[in-house]
Amino acid sequence: MNSETVSNLVTTGVGSEAAPVEVDEPSSKRLRPATSDVWNFFKKLGPDKDGVERAECKGCKKVFKAGGKRYGTSTIKQHLDSCTQIKYEDIGQTIAELQLKMGSLKIDLGVARDMFAGYVVAGDKPFNMVDDRRFRNWVKYISPTLKLPSRNTVKDDIVKVHKREAAKLKKILVSVPNRICLTSDLWTSSTNEGFICLTAHFVDENWKLLSKILNFCHMPPPHTGFELSSKIFTLLTEWKVDKKIFSITLDNASSNDTCVEHLKSTLDVHGSLLCGGEFFHVRCSAHILNLIVQDEMKICGDAVYKIRESIKYLRKSESRMVKFKECFEDIEGLEYTTALCLDVPTRWNSLYAMLASAIPYKKAFEMYKVKEAGFREYCPSSDEWRRTEKICDFLLPFYETTKLMSGTSYPTSNLYFLQVWQIQLILMNSLKNDEVLIRNMGEKMMIKFNKYWEEYSVVLAFRVVLDPRFKLNTLVHCYNEIDPISAKDKVELVKSKLYKIFEVYDQNFSTTVESSSQLSRFDVP
């Protein structure tokens, strides 16, 4: 007889005629600890006012009815699939670690397949790796009871994981209180199939800057501006963010101009854009910089051509490179530390990388020319080396700006204004350079610069004003350096546009607060 039974007998009296008293089940059974792995991701809150047990998700802090015979853990298990704050691979890993600590690993086939699908995607593995006999034998040795999926099952699992993660992302995008910026580009595969990539950039509720690829999908011809805008609008409506777009950044292809006009008018009809879409179109700064520099590389002359051919000659055979490296032994203080690289026609900054890799080895080139007669026609002369060094110095700021503005792990919009301003100053100074080649390059590049950047992007100039390190005084200084006559008007233009967009945000915020207060009024009993 336990203590609880004794207590009940004392209260009712032994041998009395009172109604029999129901004795509770032993406390050891009632207080049985939770064994489900799902409790590693939820916190028990105890019974609520209605007496029902509650549990809080450790990720998103959402509260559920859970526990006991009535509710169990099925609801919170389903929540794990859709929780945006807990990654599914973390679930599998945590469960495995806990089970190993307890000394008995129970393999959940569902978790195992999902984790394997994540491994295939992250590692870009082929689906048929599961058909490899050695791989299957290794898995069977590790776990004889684990059944490997077929290649078709792996494909289906990846699709399932994608749908689950897409649903999570859709929830995040819908719940984000601010606007979303887009970037998009077309890509052609080796089989000449067209694909479109659409990426969303936004700040989440924790003030963290995120960039998420919404779609990378087939884009059948024709790739006209109208077709591109229709495709992008369809994708936005599927994600339910068509009313939350602030801007879209595209390269400078002519079809993109038409695309922006169609897309802007479509979104504006629904009243989705701020200020009638005045700030909607942003041109890709890295692409503009590429256009400014790329065509002018054609006038670099024989110096650059000879360096390119010299590197081709040396890299054509291993014996030539071995002989070239032997030249460094005869030159005091010179070591072969950086490999010679060739430029790529579609990327101008690779030209700078090629020149920068060759110039430090100028003496080794001269030494190799003495040893190898066939190399003499390719090796640049002393005057050509001097011009190459000047070209390389001239291109360095463009190279650094391209790298800076192509970053993916940090915001770049606040860098735009000062970088473009610096490029403009360099081009203006190049027009006064003593070297004829540099002057000619500067003149041609200035024409391209004025075509795209004669008027700086106003919306990107906002970033300088909002940056506490710079503020409006920086704009005044920069515009005065370029053109003191028009500086005041340009600063006033930026100020008026900034006040305009602030007023729109202020009105939207006031409307939202008013609507929320009205809703809360109706909620009061």
Side-chain angles (χ1 to χ4, degrees), residues 11-164:
T11 304
T12 57
V14 179
S16 67
E17 298 180 359
V21 178
E22 292 183 7
V23 180
D24 291 335
E25 293 180 6
S27 60
S28 60
K29 184 177 181 181
R30 186 176 67 253
L31 298 176
R32 183 180 60 177
T35 58
S36 175
D37 295 321
V38 77
W39 290 111
N40 297 308
F41 304 95
F42 285 86
K43 177 183 176 183
K44 289 187 174 183
L45 300 179
D48 206 356
K49 294 178 181 179
D50 57 3
V52 179
E53 295 283 339
R54 296 293 198 278
E56 181 186 72
C57 175
K58 293 180 180 179
C60 64
K61 306 302 180 185
K62 192 174 181 180
V63 178
F64 298 86
K65 294 179 180 179
K69 294 181 179 179
R70 184 175 179 183
Y71 291 98
T73 58
S74 58
T75 302
I76 55 180
K77 278 182 178 178
Q78 293 173 3
H79 171 71
L80 283 180
D81 287 342
S82 59
C83 181
T84 58
Q85 301 300 318
I86 299 177
K87 294 181 179 179
Y88 204 83
E89 55 266 27
D90 295 341
I91 298 173
Q93 184 63 30
T94 302
I95 291 174
E97 289 174 356
L98 288 170
Q99 289 176 349
L100 282 172
K101 286 180 180 178
M102 293 187 295
S104 61
L105 177 60
K106 298 178 293 182
I107 296 179
D108 186 314
L109 292 179
V111 174
R113 280 171 51 178
D114 278 343
M115 293 180 72
F116 184 72
Y119 163 74
V120 171
V121 172
D124 197 20
K125 305 296 182 183
F127 295 159
N128 63 1
M129 69 176 292
V130 294
D131 296 332
D132 185 86
R133 180 175 55 84
R134 292 179 178 83
F135 177 74
R136 298 185 75 87
N137 289 341
W138 176 75
V139 172
K140 189 175 181 180
Y141 175 76
I142 297 296
S143 177
T145 60
L146 180 62
K147 184 179 179 181
L148 269 175
S150 67
R151 69 173 78 179
N152 290 328
T153 304
V154 172
K155 183 186 72 173
D156 293 339
D157 288 344
I158 289 173
V159 172
K160 185 178 70 173
V161 170
H162 172 264
K163 289 180 179 179
R164 182 175 65 232

Side-chain angles (χ1 to χ4, degrees), residues 68 75 90 172 179 200 209 232 286 329 331 333 340 372 374 435 523:
T75 302
D90 295 341
I172 294 174
R179 293 268 170 170
L209 178 63
I232 293 174
E329 300 174 3
I331 304 172
L340 295 170
E372 185 70 35
E435 184 69 43
D523 291 339

